[in-house]
Amino acid sequence: MEAVTLRKWAVIYSSVTGNTKMVAEAIAEAADSADIFPVQEAPQDLSEYDIVAIGYWLRLGQPDPMTLKYLAQVENARVVFFQTHGAEVNSEHAITSFARAGYHLGKGCEILGTFGCQGKINPAMLEKRKNAPADDPHGGAAAIERWKKAASHPDAEDLAAAARLVGNMEHKLAMRERYLANKDKHV
């Protein structure tokens, strides 16, 4: 029987409406061993953690300002990004934001995976965007429909998918370790 490795997770999140916090809690609960922190209370030294999950909401197509500041301090860590936003999950906007998050990480980090889901938009932002011109990507009838859809997220399915992310990342690391062990035997 193969030994099971228990990896310690740090789950760090920034949340205004509660969306990202809900996803963070689902991830932390799914991990065998996890500490969860709002980004304002996140540790500087992450060396005791095997995996660091960092969650944020999007602002201007990238992580929110507090998370951006924190990302630069994260060094030599295996990182999983998770994000909530009002955009469509597989939109260019959502996907590019993962790259922007990675760009802001400190040195020596490895990005293991990503998870994103829609989330209700801050009511103050919705009010501000209501009168945006139709050619504004954040205005018009299509945007209003997207906001309505986002308002029901994260839902139970999103939270279950976030929890599955933990198992997927654990499996990915186990497979990599097995590959490297076999590779070393044959060198």
Side-chain angles (χ1 to χ4, degrees), residues 56 79-82 98 111-116 165 169 172:
Y56 49 85
V79 176
V80 173
F81 288 130
F82 61 99
F98 285 125
I111 301 171
L112 293 178
T114 60
F115 173 80
L165 175 73
M169 296 301 100
K172 181 187 273 189

Side-chain angles (χ1 to χ4, degrees), residues 12-14 39-40 42-44 46 52-58 62-83 97-109 111:
I12 299 161
Y13 68 91
S14 176
V39 71
Q40 307 90 305
Q44 299 269 330
L46 296 165
V52 179
I54 303 173
Y56 49 85
W57 50 279
L58 297 185
Q62 63 186 1
D64 65 89
M66 250 191 305
T67 302
L68 282 177
K69 185 177 177 183
Y70 183 74
L71 289 172
Q73 301 169 29
V74 177
E75 295 184 348
N76 304 311
R78 290 177 172 155
V79 176
V80 173
F81 288 130
F82 61 99
Q83 63 186 20
S97 64
F98 285 125
R100 290 182 177 135
Y103 177 78
H104 288 280
L105 278 172
K107 66 180 181 189
C109 290
I111 301 171

Side-chain angles (χ1 to χ4, degrees), residues 1 23 28 30 32 34 39 47 57 59-60 71 74 99 104 107 111 137-140 146 154 156-157 161 166 177 180:
M1 181 182 240
V23 174
D32 288 321
V39 71
S47 61
W57 50 279
R59 182 167 184 266
L60 303 173
L71 289 172
V74 177
H104 288 280
K107 66 180 181 189
I111 301 171
H138 298 296
R146 190 174 62 249
E157 189 176 314
V166 172
E177 288 164 357
L180 292 173

Side-chain angles (χ1 to χ4, degrees), residues 1-186:
M1 181 182 240
E2 197 172 314
V4 175
T5 303
L6 293 179
R7 300 181 203 284
K8 187 160 185 183
W9 287 63
V11 181
I12 299 161
Y13 68 91
S14 176
S15 192
V16 172
T17 60
N19 299 329
T20 313
K21 182 179 181 184
M22 288 170 57
V23 174
E25 289 168 344
I27 290 170
E29 187 176 312
D32 288 321
S33 176
D35 294 327
I36 186 169
F37 308 94
V39 71
Q40 307 90 305
E41 299 170 17
Q44 299 269 330
D45 179 5
L46 296 165
S47 61
E48 73 176 271
Y49 297 100
D50 300 301
I51 300 173
V52 179
I54 303 173
Y56 49 85
W57 50 279
L58 297 185
R59 182 167 184 266
L60 303 173
Q62 63 186 1
D64 65 89
M66 250 191 305
T67 302
L68 282 177
K69 185 177 177 183
Y70 183 74
L71 289 172
Q73 301 169 29
V74 177
E75 295 184 348
N76 304 311
R78 290 177 172 155
V79 176
V80 173
F81 288 130
F82 61 99
Q83 63 186 20
T84 59
H85 46 75
E88 293 294 336
V89 174
N90 293 318
S91 67
E92 185 276 335
H93 181 76
I95 292 168
T96 302
S97 64
F98 285 125
R100 290 182 177 135
Y103 177 78
H104 288 280
L105 278 172
K107 66 180 181 189
C109 290
E110 173 186 3
I111 301 171
L112 293 178
T114 60
F115 173 80
C117 72
Q118 284 189 310
K120 53 193 147 303
I121 300 170
N122 184 334
M125 184 60 68
L126 286 178
E127 190 60 37
K128 183 178 173 183
R129 290 181 176 172
K130 262 187 193 174
N131 298 319
D135 64 344
D136 183 316
H138 298 296
I144 292 169
E145 284 306 309
R146 190 174 62 249
W147 301 341
K148 287 179 186 174
K149 181 180 170 191
S152 64
H153 292 272
D155 60 16
E157 189 176 314
D158 296 325
L159 298 177
R164 286 191 302 274
L165 175 73
V166 172
N168 293 342
M169 296 301 100
E170 296 277 358
H171 178 73
K172 181 187 273 189
L173 284 175
M175 295 301 290
R176 179 183 299 158
E177 288 164 357
R178 186 178 323 155
Y179 168 78
L180 292 173
N182 286 334
K183 182 180 170 191
D184 289 344
K185 285 179 190 177
H186 299 352

